[in-house]
Amino acid sequence: MTRALPPRLGAHLSPEGLEVAVLASHADAVDLCLLDRDPSSTDGWSERRLPLEGPVHGVWSARVPGVAAGQHYGFRAHGRWDPRAGTRYNPAKLLLDPYARGVQGELELGQAVHGHRLDAEQDERGPLPDPTDSRAAVPHSVVVDDRFDAPPVPLPEVPWGETVVYEAHVRGLTAQLTQVPAELRGTYAGLAHPATIAHLQELGVTTLELLPIHASVSEPHLVEQGLTNYWGYNTLAFFAPEPRYATAAARAAGPQAVLTEVKGMVRLLHEAGIEVVLDVVYNHTCEGGTDGPQLSWRGLDPTVYYLHDGGSPARFADVTGCGNSLDFRRPRVVQMALDSLRYWAEVVGVDGFRFDLAVTLGRGEEGFDPDHPFLVALQADPVLSRRKLIAEPWDVGPGGWRTGGFPAPFSEWNDRFRDAVRTFWLVDPGQAAHGRPGSGVAELATRLAGSADLFGYSDPPLMRGVVASVNYVTAHDGFTLADLVAYSHKHNHANREGNRDGTDNNRSWNHGLEGPVGASSVGMEIVPLRRRSIRNLLGTLVLSAGVPMLTAGDEIGRTQHGNNNAYCQDGELSWLHWDLSPWRSDLLATTQHLLRLRREHPALRETEFYLGRPRPGHDPRPDLDWLTPQATAFDHDRWHDPAVRTLQMIRTARDGSAVLMIINGSLDPVEVTVPPAVPGAWQLLWDSVAEHPEDLTDPDGAGANGAGAPSPGTVLLVEPLSMRVYAG
């Protein structure tokens, strides 16, 4: 007997009708349920059930004539109900297509959306099946037409060495941006409005990294508290855009219009030269733990889709901290993730992906494997390997912290950079103010130079270059930049979890007073130092070797009032405020200036690791040089002396241009001897003491503190807790 090839998964329109296929390898039968609006029914829907053919390699399929875009549908799977063995087939539950391109409707938590009875009654198989039909309580899959009438726009293809990542939330970025029309604020269309694009371009951003826009739902505990999952890390559909970020008009028109708005957003950003990278969450789904709701994967093939602990009764293994983990040992799970990525890259047109809890995606039989089939597929795929791929290189499972452990062409979020920069500029000064020692300069210097200790191990060595490191000081998760210098403790009471959620390892410093300082209150003397600390953090981020990532709003001093886990705050606490006070305008100008320096000076955009010696055939100076305040070489003892808080760093580009960075992390001013320069003097580019970049030079161009163009051997007095940057 000759068996047919397994069909393409998902629902696809063709001239012959709807071609639909779904994986349910342990099911006895699967029904395709076509849903039509029916005012006469109790829930407003009528349902046509069509048995699917199969299975072929675990896939059930059918071709249905007469189906058009906009058709609502779902699946009902028949089979063994045995929760102890991990199977939970219950045809009373309408299941979302894991490959649905469109999703419509709300999830109503309760008994109806659970495959098992929520009372305690059980038999020898475990919890009893629930007979309640879930059709009225779950979102529906919707057929969409992927075609887009607008002409294609070439991808910006920004080189890694020129990339500046800007992490933003679709709603939060423009919800209060008054230059955007009210009906577009907080939407995909608002993100691509000329006012939004103008801000990104004037700032110097090349790559917009969006928090998840896959369709998602809120966790039950948030719903009970009257809150929502604002960040969106609780995926309902890996192929469908989240409808709530679309305009009201698009939502009313349906999923086809929502998808069109997303594609239009990407196209307009590309026209402006801005890349779009999506934060994607393939490590877990919204179905929660072992006894969570039965919405899609759990009802179709739970022992294939989900990682289990191997015990009896069967329980989900949780290496994500979210109740479940998708099992990337399974080829079908790898296939689903790859199919989703290709869809967003080829059909929607995005430029790359940031993989949430990426270690889960590379877990094999013995833990994380850098040669895992999924990671190999991303390296080898002719489409995906040419997109920007960024790993969050950890999860919460055994051996889950893997910074530096991903293969090329991945770049990775560098948490070691975050911690080192916060420690040097915030933790150590806070300790020093109480007479306690700090941590020296060795760790900071390693991060400034591109973190070769983390990303240099490859075959051949040093192959990945400094651009493997995505440097960041803040992200969506944690304090904002302004809150790092104003709070030493988290203040998450608005999350209604008793301030227990969120990390306590903030590495922040309130500079002596917790929280904001009013215009006439005690503590005004610390305000200038707080602002200088922000500039120190920002300058270190932008001017270090690697790829800088800014968090939206940090450039204008956004605060979350000490909340370091605002995942459930869909409101003014999380949204950007665009009414800028003078100091926030100064900070914006400083950020624009720093990013301009990065663009204009090749020594700040090196892509390869430094060797500390001259490059063959180039300038005789070393590509990287470390000097003491006296302009002498660092020795071993100084590198490991926790009392040393000042250093000079010279980076020389291939064209002979160079940049000198002077860093003083001590609480006292330090005399610094200017090292030799080519052609003869250093020109001041920036001083973190300056509130505004225009404060760097006086009308005669002498430079801040008279140090505009110091000659070699000049002794400068560098202010405490400050940094200067010169070009030579």
Side-chain angles (χ1 to χ4, degrees), residues 308-320:
H308 284 69
D309 63 8
S312 181
R315 304 290 299 176
F316 285 175
D318 182 9
V319 297
T320 65

Side-chain angles (χ1 to χ4, degrees), residues 3-194:
R3 302 193 70 181
L5 294 173
R8 182 170 52 149
L9 293 170
H12 308 275
L13 290 173
S14 72
E16 291 78 25
L18 180 69
E19 296 179 357
V20 62
V22 63
L23 175 70
S25 59
H26 292 82
D28 296 332
V30 178
D31 295 331
L32 169 66
C33 304
L34 298 178
L35 309 173
D36 300 295
R37 297 192 183 276
D38 182 359
S40 65
S41 76
T42 56
D43 66 352
W45 296 94
S46 64
E47 179 176 334
R48 293 174 287 157
R49 299 188 186 184
L50 306 174
L52 298 182
E53 298 176 356
V56 176
H57 299 176
V59 176
W60 302 79
S61 63
R63 178 176 292 164
V64 185
V67 175
Q71 175 70 58
H72 287 227
Y73 72 100
F75 298 109
R76 297 185 187 272
H78 306 258
R80 182 182 176 194
W81 176 267
D82 190 353
R84 293 185 64 86
T87 56
R88 292 174 179 252
Y89 288 106
N90 184 344
K93 307 306 168 181
L94 182 71
L95 304 173
L96 192 79
D97 181 1
Y99 278 64
R101 265 61 166 171
V103 171
Q104 194 164 28
E106 300 296 326
L107 174 64
E108 298 179 12
L109 291 169
Q111 178 60 79
V113 300
H114 287 78
H116 62 285
R117 284 169 50 178
L118 294 179
D119 57 34
E121 191 171 351
Q122 300 189 17
D123 62 15
E124 68 279 1
R125 299 170 300 174
L128 299 178
D130 173 64
T132 310
D133 195 292
S134 68
R135 184 178 70 195
V138 295
H140 299 167
S141 314
V142 181
V143 177
V144 299
D145 186 341
D146 290 333
R147 292 175 296 180
F148 187 54
D149 293 335
V153 174
L155 301 181
E157 295 189 329
V158 179
W160 272 114
E162 299 174 12
T163 297
V164 176
V165 179
Y166 187 80
E167 188 199 36
H169 188 283
V170 171
R171 175 169 291 163
L173 184 60
T174 67
Q176 299 186 108
L177 184 55
T178 56
Q179 292 93 329
V180 173
E183 67 273 15
L184 303 184
R185 293 175 200 159
T187 69
Y188 300 117
L191 201 66
H193 186 271

Side-chain angles (χ1 to χ4, degrees), residues 660-673:
L660 166 66
M661 186 181 299
I662 301 174
I663 292 179
N664 179 18
S666 68
L667 298 182
D668 300 304
V670 173
E671 290 186 344
V672 175
T673 301

Side-chain angles (χ1 to χ4, degrees), residues 359 362 368-372 375 379 391-394 401-408 410-413 415 453-457 464 468:
V359 168
F368 177 73
D369 179 5
D371 294 322
H372 186 283
L375 303 182
Q379 296 173 73
E392 183 185 37
W394 51 79
W401 227 260
R402 294 287 179 162
T403 306
F406 280 74
F410 272 95
S411 293
E412 303 175 40
W413 274 25
D415 57 308
D453 62 325
L454 299 174
F455 305 105
Y457 296 97
R464 298 176 69 188

Side-chain angles (χ1 to χ4, degrees), residues 575-592:
W575 299 346
L576 273 67
H577 295 257
W578 293 96
D579 184 13
L580 303 187
S581 61
W583 85 266
R584 296 174 74 203
S585 294
D586 288 345
L587 180 59
L588 175 58
T590 295
T591 310
Q592 293 169 335

Side-chain angles (χ1 to χ4, degrees), residues 248-273:
R251 294 197 305 273
Q256 184 73 53
V258 172
L259 177 61
T260 298
E261 186 174 318
V262 174
K263 289 183 178 181
M265 172 195 73
V266 173
R267 184 179 186 278
L268 289 171
L269 288 165
H270 283 175
E271 286 182 344

Side-chain angles (χ1 to χ4, degrees), residues 247 545 630:
T247 57
Q630 296 77 34

